[in-house]
Amino acid sequence: MMRPRLKQAGWIAALALLGLASSQSDPLKAAVATGGAQYAQVILDQDEGQRLCTQYQSQLPGELIPKFIEAQKALIRYPANGKLLGDWQNGEKVFTDPKRGNCYACHQGDPKQLAYGTMGPSLANYGARGTSEPILRYTYEKIYNSWAFVPCSLMYRGGVHGLFTPEETADLVAFLVDANSPLNRR
Amino acid sequence: MRWTGLALLLLSLLGVLAQSVPEDPRDEAKRQKQLLLQTSGILPSDLIVEQGKDLFYTKRGPRGVSLEGCDFGLGAGVLQGASVQLPRYFADTGKVEDLDSRIRTCMTQLQGFKPEEVKRSEVVPLAFFIAAQSDGLPIQVRIAAPAEREMYELGQKLFYARSGARDMGCATCHVSYVNRRSGVLPFSDVLGKDASMSHWPAYRYSNDQAWTMEDRIRACYGNLGHPQPDFYSPVPIALQLFMAYQANQAKAELPGFLR
């Protein structure tokens, strides 16, 4: 029974570092290569934000919030052409696609679409806020990296993780704000 | 593979509004259980328990012995009250084990099966049978041995961990968004009111599925597009020890019967 015991000890040593602000990795990777390597890899590859949200169980102490938000803002990338307002029709595809936005899992969107989750606020009629530069910028940055506004939010950072590109983020913005988008049609 | 979970999650949403405001899933499950008992006289979960009982008492494996010699923590062959005290530390393996891993340990060490010969299709019914012997008893796990403490702490970290491309973890839904839903069912209050560890292993009548908590945990990760932890690895065991400790004193309903 010697080997399984060591194996378990290795896992514990490796995973015990979870949520601690340390990222030395090579001995860890070796230790977890024994089993569940893929799972362990994802856990051990936590970025700084995930590590902090883990450590504080998603309730960051107030004094850490300004730095956290600053660090998350710095992760936001913008479309090469600088346009934050893209094509709403493509935005709808990204919004619906389970591999990309998967936004319906948490939000109401097109009111005709009856299957949606209730974890996030309804986005129906989001366009009532208009299309001013500050609204476009907020919407773009929120979708690209929601943690730049609400640290450790349930809403994942789709842009940061490359689930959609900056251009697709601009398309999502259009789906939310464009007057012709089904989100805003009456 | 990674995305099928999410696709399913989304697909499962399609059923939502057809039913308008759904009744509390706990009440619905109780009603279904009654209905099934009345119409067929036996629950599908009872049949799985029976199957497990056969597997338990039959002399099997290269050594041709039953599992009666297996110690689930209260002594060889003592089943009543055993599963509500799991996971726990076992001196003979030097490991903290849950029900699944202990069954596997006995199938390999006692019956002589090779680890790769231990099939889920046998472990699950065995787990149902053994768990059923603790029906109605309070959950009673302890954190005493150093290995148990380590596992508990690991489980707690993993439960609250945020990881992967979806920045998620168990607590994001099962603590912060209890009663909200992403699919048809609202998220259960795993650590609180639902004391989830008190009703697993469980039978789910909506898709005729018999699962242990290890299956359940792996499926949760799958739904998040997160690689799944291996069966019998410390990850599902640690998560269970953490959850079971929060559920201490909750009355076990075993096997569980869920939507």
Side-chain angles (χ1 to χ4, degrees):
Chain A
M1 293 317 296
M2 223 26 220
R3 265 192 61 231
R5 191 169 177 169
L6 276 179
K7 192 162 144 184
Q8 187 168 29
W11 269 87
I12 290 174
L15 294 171
L17 287 167
L18 255 181
L20 305 177
S22 103
S23 60
Q24 76 275 56
S25 46
D26 280 340
L28 291 185
K29 282 178 184 156
V32 298
T34 46
Q38 246 196 327
Y39 173 86
Q41 199 62 58
V42 170
I43 297 268
L44 295 172
D45 281 351
Q46 279 186 321
D47 70 10
E48 186 61 18
Q50 290 177 331
R51 232 173 264 133
L52 283 166
C53 294
T54 299
Q55 184 179 351
Y56 293 101
Q57 302 191 344
S58 300
Q59 315 271 325
L60 276 199
E63 67 270 21
L64 295 186
I65 290 176
K67 269 202 116 161
F68 184 96
I69 286 186
E70 195 187 312
Q72 294 302 320
K73 279 252 157 87
L75 296 175
I76 301 176
R77 300 284 170 270
Y78 298 89
N81 66 9
K83 281 196 192 139
L84 302 184
L85 186 61
D87 163 15
W88 73 259
Q89 281 165 314
N90 190 48
E92 179 166 25
K93 289 190 193 126
V94 181
F95 193 94
T96 311
D97 185 352
K99 289 190 199 170
R100 292 185 286 171
N102 196 30
C103 314
Y104 277 117
C106 297
H107 291 286
Q108 181 180 30
D110 177 351
K112 283 212 206 77
Q113 174 67 253
L114 296 183
Y116 58 86
T118 58
M119 308 217 273
S122 169
L123 299 174
N125 205 24
Y126 188 92
R129 302 180 197 198
T131 54
S132 64
E133 210 284 327
I135 291 290
L136 294 185
R137 182 161 296 275
Y138 161 72
T139 308
Y140 181 93
E141 293 179 345
K142 175 71 191 171
I143 297 173
Y144 194 93
N145 184 357
S146 83
W147 289 7
F149 298 88
V150 181
C152 312
S153 166
L154 169 70
M155 180 165 154
Y156 43 76
R157 302 165 296 164
V160 174
H161 289 299
L163 298 176
F164 34 79
T165 63
E167 287 71 21
E168 289 170 331
T169 309
D171 295 342
L172 284 165
V173 173
F175 182 59
L176 261 59
V177 304
D178 196 300
N180 295 316
S181 156
L183 238 67
N184 302 315
R185 251 189 261 131
R186 302 245 161 182
Chain B
M1 180 56 209
R2 280 181 66 152
W3 302 116
T4 48
L6 281 164
L8 276 176
L9 195 71
L10 206 75
L11 270 180
S12 65
L13 291 174
L14 296 174
V16 175
L17 281 193
Q19 315 163 317
S20 68
V21 183
E23 70 175 298
D24 184 312
R26 287 161 283 255
D27 299 337
E28 192 188 333
K30 273 199 198 109
R31 200 167 43 77
Q32 278 293 337
K33 195 173 176 179
Q34 274 319 106
L35 204 73
L36 264 171
L37 262 178
Q38 274 164 20
T39 48
S40 51
I42 188 160
L43 294 172
S45 44
D46 294 338
L47 296 174
I48 300 161
V49 169
E50 282 305 309
Q51 193 192 339
K53 187 176 177 183
D54 278 350
L55 285 165
F56 189 87
Y57 289 107
T58 305
K59 295 184 173 48
R60 304 173 66 235
R63 304 221 181 94
V65 293
S66 78
L67 283 172
E68 286 163 282
C70 184
D71 178 1
F72 285 93
L74 302 178
V78 182
L79 297 185
Q80 200 194 13
S83 91
V84 284
Q85 302 198 5
L86 293 173
R88 67 185 287 156
Y89 176 76
F90 287 88
D92 59 358
T93 56
K95 291 202 286 187
V96 177
E97 302 202 58
D98 65 359
L99 187 51
D100 300 53
S101 92
R102 193 61 187 170
I103 291 169
R104 180 172 176 257
T105 293
C106 287
M107 286 179 70
T108 51
Q109 298 197 351
L110 209 64
Q111 295 184 309
F113 287 109
K114 296 198 189 81
E116 63 274 19
E117 289 169 342
V118 175
K119 293 191 275 251
R120 290 301 296 170
S121 59
E122 295 179 351
V123 172
V124 171
L126 280 165
F128 268 62
F129 167 65
I130 295 158
Q133 312 312 308
S134 294
D135 186 33
L137 298 176
I139 302 283
Q140 255 171 347
V141 298
R142 38 163 219 178
I143 313 292
E148 287 167 345
R149 176 148 306 282
E150 275 179 4
M151 281 299 247
Y152 177 88
E153 281 164 12
L154 172 63
Q156 181 172 33
K157 285 220 168 92
L158 289 173
F159 193 86
Y160 287 98
R162 307 288 300 267
S163 56
R166 305 264 162 185
D167 288 320
M168 298 240 220
C170 316
T172 33
C173 298
H174 292 293
V175 173
S176 312
Y177 286 85
V178 163
N179 290 334
R180 300 287 189 98
R181 58 180 165 70
S182 177
V184 181
L185 289 177
F187 290 109
S188 52
D189 188 359
V190 165
L191 304 182
K193 175 163 68 84
D194 290 310
S196 298
M197 277 301 283
S198 67
H199 50 258
W200 287 86
Y203 173 77
R204 307 175 82 185
Y205 62 84
S206 57
N207 50 2
D208 188 29
Q209 184 180 65
W211 271 3
T212 71
M213 188 49 106
E214 287 214 9
D215 296 294
R216 178 62 269 189
I217 289 169
R218 284 165 47 88
C220 276
Y221 277 111
N223 288 341
L224 303 180
H226 197 295
Q228 299 176 327
D230 286 350
F231 277 117
Y232 317 110
S233 73
V235 170
I237 298 173
L239 281 165
Q240 285 177 87
L241 184 57
F242 173 66
M243 293 189 288
Y245 192 73
Q246 313 303 312
N248 260 343
Q249 300 315 324
K251 189 175 155 217
E253 213 176 287
L254 295 168
F257 188 89
L258 307 172
R259 183 165 190 281

